[in-house]
Amino acid sequence: MPPHESELRSPDWFRSVVFYELSIRSFYDSNGDGIGDLPGVRAKLDYLTDLGAGAVWLLPFYESPWRDDGYDISNHYHVDPRFGTVDDLDGLIADAHGRGLRLVADLVTNHVSDQHPWFQSARRDRHSSYRPWFLWSDSGTEFSRARRIFPDYEPSNWTFDEVAGQYYFHRFYATQPDLNYDTPAVHEEMFRFARFWLDHGFDGFRCDAAPYLYKREGTTCQSLPETHQFWRELRAMMDAEYPGTVLISEANQTIAETVAYFDRGREFPMVLHFPIMPNFYLGLAENNPKRILDLLRATVPSVPADGAWAYFLRNHDELSLEQASDEEKTLFFRYFPLPPGARVHNGVRRRLAPLLGGDDNSVLLLTALILGLPGSPFLYYGDEIGMGDRIDLPDRDAVRTPMQWEKGPSAGFSTAPPASLTRPLVTDPGFGPAARNVAQQEENTRSLLWRTRTLLRVRAAHAAVFGSNLYQAVDLGTAPVVGFWRPNAEYSVLCLYNFSIEPQSGSVPLPPAVWASPVELVRGGLTSTVADHTFQYRIAPRGFSWTLFLARHPAASVAAASPPA
Ligand code: NOJ
Ligand code: CA
């Protein structure tokens, strides 16, 4: 049995690990053709485990014409040859597992590529068995309440196909026809797709476009009961046949609709927390986390006992403001100065560091917040070094440029010359490879990379609290500070985050169950004293702290004394 096998199978592993999302295409090129590949990811596993990642989410690697960067699959059972072979993938999985690192794939079920043989057969022949795998119309007027997700690029969810002689439905690009879930064979095929890659050893899936599978006239065609039922069945299958694997929902919806994907423990074990995400940024914009506190109050208790929120700051898409109100959007755009063209769809195609004006303290504040909350944080490759973006590239390619390993001509990403890289490097002098790269930050213990890695290590060392669901909000009145306890039978950690650009002082009464001798776990700008069983803190502007208190009587700590909020 490989060394980490039993640990890898623990059913709620996903709650204590940090996920690292990466684009294979842009991570590391092993053979000098200018395109990142699977052996390239394999070559960088030490970097990922050193950083403290516990799971890697690989963006789609299936055969694809790359009209939507692999979210347009033309063969579900092949690895795109530009990334390598299925043997390369198996090797990567084996090596990752040997290091105790899990791998999650993207399960794209809503649509396929228009180049897929299923769609080609369906459009060419009305009697093809694949015709009912897609949604056809003579008028292209049905499902008019279904919102368009790429409004900047697609004028309608229906496109006329000359060969088919009918319109077909697509929620995303016209090159991504939607599958028709009323056809039972589609259902079966998607289960086959999931099993196929689970058999290769994947530890779960991030489920792309989870709300959109079923369409019904007169509805918004999102989050319909039939769609939830599909996911429940997939979860049941995976629990029965592949215990210890995880499903993560991508549902960018309102709070109520997003929470529904947990379905009290019957559906997704993990749900990406889209509703809170823009509020992290608004907390900085207003120098006040009141919106974050509201969202935490509304959503932390919704998690079922065996589930977890998946928190993220950025990903491979635009920073979505779809759920933000007009007032919130105005606030956002007023505070974050955007170069022309940075807005796309309903959001912003910028990376974390440039968006935050290169302020490492703000980056760390938000990173430490998502690392401290109950649930698991998702980091996006390159954000740990404060890498930049290129908004002159089309659409979301802006935030998918090659990883900056070194300052050399191709940033250590490839031996190919810069002009032949799959995507050009960042040129912004403040955020490009010369200014921000892994090699240089390895040399400097004050770098963003070191400080991020320290946070991950501290979190991993205290998985007993950070990997649990226990959470107790601290009422700090109107102070612009987020505060909460992560309690446990042995010890408790008090987490404080100052969103203001002024230092903040205050006090937190200590629960009787803890010893009044704190241990500061990370150096984030805290000074503190304890008097009369009250913790007096002073935190630097945009600073944070994680402070450990041992339990007086291990069995009767804060965890026992106060139920999770
Ligand atoms: C969500 C993915 O994150 C995005 O990159 C993609 O374009 C759409 N789903 C369509 O698959
Ligand atoms: Ca390559």
Side-chain angles (χ1 to χ4, degrees):
M1 195 191 269
H4 299 283
E5 191 68 19
S6 58
E7 194 189 307
L8 282 166
R9 292 290 140 233
S10 100
D12 59 356
W13 59 266
F14 53 85
R15 212 175 15 233
S16 44
V17 303
V18 173
F19 287 74
Y20 186 93
E21 176 195 355
L22 69 81
S23 155
I24 301 165
R25 183 170 170 183
S26 292
F27 201 57
Y28 183 60
D29 171 23
S30 71
N31 61 357
D33 66 357
I35 306 173
D37 44 50
L38 290 161
V41 177
R42 192 172 175 183
K44 294 293 185 185
L45 287 177
D46 283 345
Y47 172 77
L48 297 173
T49 46
D50 259 17
L51 178 64
V56 173
W57 158 19
L58 292 177
L59 290 177
F61 52 79
Y62 318 105
E63 200 175 278
S64 161
W66 286 1
R67 293 287 148 65
D68 187 14
D69 210 14
Y71 284 98
D72 47 332
I73 303 177
S74 54
N75 188 325
H76 294 69
Y77 305 102
H78 284 180
V79 167
D80 193 290
R82 290 164 289 191
F83 288 152
T85 63
V86 76
D87 287 345
D88 292 330
L89 182 69
D90 291 343
L92 167 64
I93 296 174
D95 261 13
H97 283 174
R99 289 166 159 84
L101 187 66
R102 295 167 180 87
L103 284 178
V104 169
D106 229 300
L107 195 72
V108 188
T109 49
N110 179 69
H111 45 266
V112 299
S113 161
D114 61 352
Q115 304 304 307
H116 199 296
W118 302 338
F119 186 70
Q120 288 299 325
S121 164
R123 68 195 283 252
R124 293 210 174 96
D125 176 4
R126 275 189 187 240
H127 305 292
S128 158
S129 57
Y130 290 109
R131 188 86 172 188
W133 282 41
F134 299 91
L135 295 139
W136 302 99
S137 159
D138 290 327
S139 63
T141 54
E142 295 84 349
F143 310 134
S144 58
R145 289 188 57 212
R147 79 192 153 98
R148 284 176 295 132
I149 296 179
F150 293 157
D152 293 1
Y153 292 86
E154 297 296 348
S156 165
N157 283 332
W158 290 100
T159 290
F160 190 74
D161 184 71
E162 296 288 348
V163 176
Q166 281 189 302
Y167 292 86
Y168 64 94
F169 186 89
H170 53 89
R171 249 314 160 98
F172 297 90
Y173 289 124
T175 49
Q176 291 163 296
D178 275 31
L179 288 164
N180 179 4
Y181 274 79
D182 282 321
T183 298
V186 167
H187 215 279
E188 284 157 30
E189 188 71 34
M190 290 302 118
F191 272 57
R192 187 159 94 92
F193 173 37
R195 283 191 178 98
F196 184 85
W197 294 108
L198 291 167
D199 286 338
H200 277 270
F202 274 103
D203 300 289
F205 299 115
R206 175 265 193 186
C207 298
D208 184 65
Y212 307 114
L213 306 186
Y214 281 83
K215 286 85 179 163
R216 293 285 177 259
E217 198 50 81
T219 72
T220 57
C221 300
Q222 58 192 41
S223 305
L224 298 180
E226 298 87 332
T227 298
H228 279 289
Q229 183 58 23
F230 172 87
W231 293 119
R232 276 196 293 271
E233 285 171 22
L234 185 67
R235 163 92 183 261
M237 180 281 276
M238 284 172 53
D239 281 353
E241 297 175 30
Y242 304 91
T245 55
V246 73
L247 276 178
I248 308 158
S249 110
E250 190 227 3
N252 182 359
Q253 308 291 327
T254 61
I255 296 176
E257 264 190 75
T258 307
V259 166
Y261 284 86
F262 284 118
D263 191 27
R264 288 156 295 154
R266 292 185 303 165
E267 210 168 312
F268 285 90
M270 282 197 110
V271 173
L272 284 160
H273 206 324
F274 277 93
I276 203 170
M277 182 272 296
N279 295 282
F280 294 138
Y281 296 93
L282 294 175
L284 298 178
E286 296 185 290
N287 297 318
N288 192 311
K290 57 182 189 286
R291 292 167 205 271
I292 300 172
L293 296 172
D294 289 347
L295 261 291
L296 291 175
R297 251 190 305 273
T299 59
V300 169
S302 329
V303 177
D306 58 353
W309 279 117
Y311 292 101
F312 64 101
L313 302 172
R314 289 297 293 114
N315 61 19
H316 63 289
D317 288 327
E318 74 278 16
L319 189 168
S320 170
L321 296 172
E322 220 158 335
Q323 309 304 329
S325 67
D326 288 345
E327 181 226 343
E328 290 166 341
K329 284 185 199 156
T330 308
L331 258 170
F332 187 99
F333 292 126
R334 192 180 309 140
Y335 183 76
F336 298 105
L338 296 175
R343 286 162 76 160
V344 72
H345 310 309
N346 280 307
V348 176
R349 44 201 205 99
R350 292 230 80 177
R351 267 190 180 262
L352 186 59
L355 189 68
L356 303 189
D359 176 27
D360 284 0
N361 285 339
S362 298
V363 171
L364 284 161
L365 174 73
L366 296 186
T367 306
L369 178 56
I370 64 169
L371 282 156
L373 287 169
S376 289
F378 280 57
L379 307 183
Y380 184 49
Y381 85 96
D383 283 347
E384 73 277 21
I385 54 165
M387 188 170 135
D389 46 37
R390 272 199 71 146
I391 58 166
D392 59 321
L393 297 184
D395 199 354
R396 293 152 294 156
D397 285 5
V399 298
R400 301 175 186 177
T401 59
M403 179 68 176
Q404 300 172 181
W405 295 103
E406 297 164 12
K407 69 171 183 314
S410 288
F413 160 71
S414 173
T415 53
S420 20
L421 302 185
T422 186
R423 288 193 182 105
L425 295 163
V426 172
T427 47
D428 183 326
F431 299 98
R436 294 180 180 246
N437 66 69
V438 172
Q440 163 222 58
Q441 295 196 20
E442 287 288 3
E443 302 295 309
N444 172 6
T445 55
R446 296 304 302 154
S447 67
L448 188 57
L449 177 60
W450 267 82
R451 293 166 77 192
T452 306
R453 191 159 51 198
T454 301
L455 286 176
L456 267 68
R457 290 197 176 158
V458 171
R459 184 183 190 271
H462 300 90
V465 294
F466 290 114
S468 86
N469 260 353
L470 296 177
Y471 165 89
Q472 169 83 43
V474 176
D475 184 359
L476 295 169
T478 55
V481 178
V482 178
F484 50 82
W485 288 96
R486 301 303 313 277
N488 179 274
E490 307 293 324
Y491 63 93
S492 296
V493 175
L494 174 65
C495 302
L496 296 170
Y497 305 85
N498 177 10
F499 273 74
S500 158
I501 48 170
E502 304 291 338
Q504 295 296 319
S505 306
S507 59
V508 179
L510 295 179
V514 301
W515 289 106
S517 36
V519 180
E520 199 184 339
L521 294 181
V522 288
R523 300 219 148 264
L526 174 82
T527 40
S528 69
T529 51
V530 175
D532 297 333
H533 226 63
T534 299
F535 180 72
Q536 313 277 356
Y537 66 82
R538 182 180 163 85
I539 319 183
R542 299 270 155 98
F544 61 89
S545 65
W546 290 350
T547 310
L548 181 149
F549 295 83
L550 285 177
R552 268 174 197 274
H553 312 289
S557 72
V558 187
S562 46

